[in-house]
Amino acid sequence: MSAESPAELQFENLERQRYAATLGVWVFLGTEVMFFAALITAYTAYRIYFPEAFSQCSHHMERWVATFETASLLTSSLFMVLAVHATKLGRRPAAALFLLLTVLGGLAFLVMHGHEYWTDWREGGLPGRYYHLEEIRAAGAPMFYASYFFTTGLHSLHVLVGIGLICSMIKRTIQGTLTPEKHNLLEGVGLYWHFVDMVWVFLYPLFYLVP
């Protein structure tokens, strides 16, 4: 047991503590995978039932904005990897900088996605009985937007939670509580952030690219 970074009382050593923390994160992410898998399955089922409406709505989406959103999230994942690596090397200023860049990537994603929501609301691309987009009158279009707003809205909420967690990691990094020997929290937050990015990698083609 390290005198500088002791393990919690319930663990024999830091290695066991790291293993337990990683396992806990993976179990949590497993439940999240099942949750988003159910949403994607529902989307697929409705797409089979309303192929023409979903195709027209998909073409109507702002693909260039979504492409920048994807690039923003993937770049932020790279910065998260660099932040974990810098922490393992004990380079606190670099780790804090990479975490800050990760946060900025997430914020850029939310701003661009908010722009999409605003555009859809202004044009009438809304769920259910609120739908009044004149350009697309095919049956099933309101269902597309219901699936889009619910699924991407939940994903955006996950991004927001991730940003909050990363901000707490920045604070811990500056305070020096994350060390090369003890950085389980940062690795857990990193796994969560990569998961959020991977979910978007699936949502991006579903809502924007599939013809």
Side-chain angles (χ1 to χ4, degrees):
M1 182 182 300
S2 167
E4 295 179 353
S5 302
E8 301 295 336
L9 290 176
Q10 64 270 35
F11 297 104
E12 183 178 338
N13 52 47
L14 282 174
E15 186 62 30
R16 287 185 178 274
Q17 180 176 328
R18 186 176 297 112
Y19 175 78
T22 303
L23 179 62
V25 172
W26 277 113
V27 169
F28 168 72
L29 294 182
T31 62
E32 292 284 286
V33 166
M34 289 188 286
F35 180 68
F36 277 99
L39 293 177
I40 291 174
T41 300
Y43 167 88
T44 304
Y46 281 114
R47 179 155 197 134
I48 293 172
Y49 197 71
F50 301 109
E52 183 61 28
F54 273 53
S55 177
Q56 291 183 31
C57 291
S58 181
H59 279 93
H60 185 74
M61 305 299 285
E62 293 185 292
R63 290 179 177 174
W64 67 272
V65 177
T67 301
F68 279 110
E69 292 170 17
T70 305
S72 174
L73 278 187
L74 293 180
T75 304
S76 72
S77 257
L78 172 62
F79 287 132
M80 175 56 80
V81 171
L82 294 175
V84 173
H85 183 66
T87 300
K88 289 180 178 177
L89 295 178
R91 298 174 179 172
R92 285 167 49 196
L97 175 61
F98 288 135
L99 287 172
L100 178 61
L101 292 173
T102 305
V103 168
L104 292 178
L107 289 175
F109 173 86
L110 291 179
V111 169
M112 288 186 280
H113 211 65
H115 163 79
E116 278 196 86
Y117 285 157
W118 166 256
T119 302
D120 292 330
W121 179 81
R122 190 181 56 193
E123 294 179 346
L126 297 169
R129 62 189 178 92
Y130 301 104
Y131 179 87
H132 57 276
L133 181 60
E134 295 296 333
E135 188 176 332
I136 303 174
R137 304 307 300 175
M143 185 56 69
F144 173 89
Y145 281 96
S147 178
Y148 165 73
F149 274 100
F150 188 71
T151 306
T152 63
L154 280 175
H155 175 263
S156 295
L157 183 61
H158 279 69
V159 173
L160 188 61
V161 170
I163 289 173
L165 292 173
I166 296 170
C167 286
S168 73
M169 293 300 102
I170 294 176
K171 180 181 177 182
R172 287 172 179 269
T173 298
I174 294 173
Q175 292 175 337
T177 56
L178 293 177
T179 66
E181 299 82 13
K182 194 174 181 181
H183 52 274
N184 298 339
L185 277 175
L186 180 60
E187 288 197 341
V189 170
L191 285 175
Y192 175 83
W193 191 253
H194 297 319
F195 164 77
V196 169
D197 290 356
M198 285 303 300
V199 169
W200 180 254
V201 167
F202 281 95
L203 298 184
Y204 172 55
L206 279 180
F207 286 105
Y208 300 90
L209 300 182
V210 176

